[in-house]
Amino acid sequence: MVTTYWKKSGQPMLIGNEDQIAAWQNDASSFIWIDIQYTGMDQQWVGELLSSLNCNALAVKDVLRTRHPPKIELFQDQTFILYRGISDVINELEYNHQQIGFFINDRYLVTVHPEHSMGISQIIQLDSLTDYIEEPMLLALKIMHKSSDTYLSNMLNFEDELGLQEDALLAGEGERHMAALAGYRIKLLRLKRIFNYHQQMFAEFCSHANDDKASFIQLSKHEHYLTDVYERFERIYSLSSLYYEMCSDMVEGYISISSHQQNVSMRVLTVITAIFVPLSFLAGLYGMNFDNIPELHHPNAYYVLLSTMFIISFALIVLFKRKKWI
């Protein structure tokens, strides 16, 4: 599906399809946003359409691939951005991601993606969309800014969930929450990789703000907004790293507490065993079936043995208490 947003200078924006592209090409003073959702479309036709707009051939191949790391490339008369967008939010840490390609010129913006895009849908609903059409770079940054809003708000909401998990661990309910924490770590690790790509990409983008190579799109004019998007992804990456470390610390803390409790239990059992070993030895010694055990025929042998066993037990208990083992 191809949706176009065409605007002549001083006139209202017109929404249409690929038929508007020819009219835009014939009017050098007009601007256009071409949004291509190519699922179910002939990719060869999409490639030919992009080529007719002078899009770089290798960039076209990258945008039509199923997966490719986010990146930015500056060409002579065009900027290409490959961005990891959102088609749907499952929960705070899970998203249905898709890659979105941005081809940006001083007169047009082309967005290419396989599925519905949340960021693009949010921009379309803005009343100020007609003003952004004449600023293709700003429009692209606005779309990515909307995605970063979704990421950031969900990451901040997840902080409350982490607080609940921490309270549960302190309350001794860690056994039921360990699986959830392990799952959070896996999801956060995946998000960290995505956010790290975006952070590095926008850092590189900011470094080109005043380059002559980027002057055709007047990137320096949008430097403030570009920096804002970069700082958002830097913060999102920092939060994902922080939450990953917090989950790891909680898991390791619970394991350490469990290990300590197990050591305490083993120490108590060891002390009990140490007390009863000499008593079991004496009981076994005098329980042997030999005729000639002189102590067995002593009139007070029973009381002497019990006293000996009591003294041994008492002495061991005193020794263990002094060593603070019990």
Side-chain angles (χ1 to χ4, degrees), residues 131-181:
D131 299 326
Y132 298 145
I133 298 297
E134 298 184 20
E135 296 283 356
M137 175 56 69
L138 180 60
L139 178 58
L141 291 174
K142 285 284 185 181
I143 294 172
M144 291 181 275
H145 192 277
K146 284 295 182 182
S147 293
S148 68
D149 280 344
T150 303
Y151 283 129
L152 182 57
S153 61
N154 285 345
M155 292 299 290
L156 293 175
N157 291 336
F158 179 67
E159 188 172 356
D160 297 332
E161 175 63 23
L162 271 185
L164 295 176
Q165 295 290 344
E166 188 174 9
D167 293 340
L169 288 179
L170 294 175
E173 302 176 1
E175 196 68 34
R176 295 191 301 110
H177 296 269
M178 287 296 289
L181 287 172

Side-chain angles (χ1 to χ4, degrees), residues 58-114:
L58 293 178
V60 171
K61 287 184 178 180
D62 288 343
V63 81
L64 294 177
R65 287 173 59 181
T66 305
R67 293 178 64 88
H68 195 288
K71 67 174 183 177
I72 173 176
E73 292 184 6
L74 301 180
F75 300 107
Q76 185 176 357
D77 59 350
Q78 187 182 80
T79 297
F80 172 62
I81 300 174
L82 198 58
Y83 177 80
R84 188 64 58 86
I86 306 170
S87 61
D88 190 26
V89 177
I90 301 173
N91 55 49
E92 289 90 345
L93 298 181
E94 287 187 280
Y95 305 86
N96 287 327
H97 286 111
Q98 64 174 331
Q99 65 181 24
I100 304 177
F102 295 83
F103 296 90
I104 310 165
N105 187 275
D106 55 351
R107 288 188 56 221
Y108 67 76
L109 168 66
V110 181
T111 52
V112 186
H113 51 98

Side-chain angles (χ1 to χ4, degrees), residues 244-289:
Y244 176 80
E245 292 173 2
M246 288 176 65
C247 288
S248 299
D249 289 344
M250 282 191 278
V251 170
E252 292 171 4
Y254 176 76
I255 292 174
S256 297
I257 293 172
S258 299
S259 178
H260 175 71
Q261 292 174 341
Q262 186 177 14
N263 289 339
V264 171
S265 300
M266 290 301 297
R267 185 172 62 189
V268 172
L269 293 174
T270 302
V271 166
I272 294 173
T273 302
I275 292 173
F276 279 93
V277 162
L279 307 186
S280 300
F281 171 74
L282 291 175
L285 179 66
Y286 289 103
M288 292 188 293
N289 295 320

Side-chain angles (χ1 to χ4, degrees), residues 11 23 27 29 40 59 72 115-117 120 127 146 149 151 171 173 193 195 220 235 238 246 249 257 279 285 308:
Q11 296 186 17
D27 186 348
S29 64
I72 173 176
E115 301 175 6
H116 162 80
S117 167
I120 291 176
D127 295 333
K146 284 295 182 182
D149 280 344
Y151 283 129
E173 302 176 1
R193 185 175 66 250
F195 298 149
S220 59
R235 184 184 180 193
S238 298
M246 288 176 65
D249 289 344
I257 293 172
L279 307 186
L285 179 66
T308 302

Side-chain angles (χ1 to χ4, degrees), residues 143-322:
I143 294 172
M144 291 181 275
H145 192 277
K146 284 295 182 182
S147 293
S148 68
D149 280 344
T150 303
Y151 283 129
L152 182 57
S153 61
N154 285 345
M155 292 299 290
L156 293 175
N157 291 336
F158 179 67
E159 188 172 356
D160 297 332
E161 175 63 23
L162 271 185
L164 295 176
Q165 295 290 344
E166 188 174 9
D167 293 340
L169 288 179
L170 294 175
E173 302 176 1
E175 196 68 34
R176 295 191 301 110
H177 296 269
M178 287 296 289
L181 287 172
Y184 292 155
R185 290 176 65 187
I186 295 172
K187 295 170 187 175
L188 285 166
L189 189 61
R190 292 171 181 166
L191 291 177
K192 277 180 62 179
R193 185 175 66 250
I194 294 173
F195 298 149
N196 186 44
Y197 276 130
H198 285 159
Q199 177 186 243
Q200 293 177 355
M201 181 179 72
F202 281 105
E204 179 186 354
F205 210 2
C206 288
S207 69
H208 290 304
N210 296 310
D211 286 357
D212 293 337
K213 191 176 181 181
S215 61
F216 72 91
I217 54 172
Q218 298 179 334
L219 189 56
S220 59
K221 184 170 66 173
H222 308 299
E223 183 177 2
H224 175 75
Y225 202 81
L226 177 59
T227 302
D228 182 57
V229 177
Y230 164 69
E231 289 176 347
R232 275 178 171 269
F233 275 107
E234 185 179 39
R235 184 184 180 193
I236 295 169
Y237 176 73
S238 298
L239 285 174
S240 62
S241 298
L242 173 63
Y243 295 158
Y244 176 80
E245 292 173 2
M246 288 176 65
C247 288
S248 299
D249 289 344
M250 282 191 278
V251 170
E252 292 171 4
Y254 176 76
I255 292 174
S256 297
I257 293 172
S258 299
S259 178
H260 175 71
Q261 292 174 341
Q262 186 177 14
N263 289 339
V264 171
S265 300
M266 290 301 297
R267 185 172 62 189
V268 172
L269 293 174
T270 302
V271 166
I272 294 173
T273 302
I275 292 173
F276 279 93
V277 162
L279 307 186
S280 300
F281 171 74
L282 291 175
L285 179 66
Y286 289 103
M288 292 188 293
N289 295 320
F290 290 107
D291 291 334
N292 297 317
I293 300 180
E295 293 85 355
L296 293 178
H297 302 288
H298 193 282
N300 296 316
Y302 173 71
Y303 301 104
V304 172
L305 181 60
L306 285 182
S307 299
T308 302
M309 295 171 73
F310 175 77
I311 291 170
I312 291 172
S313 300
F314 181 77
L316 289 174
I317 291 173
V318 171
L319 175 65
F320 294 150
K321 277 189 172 293
R322 285 187 176 181

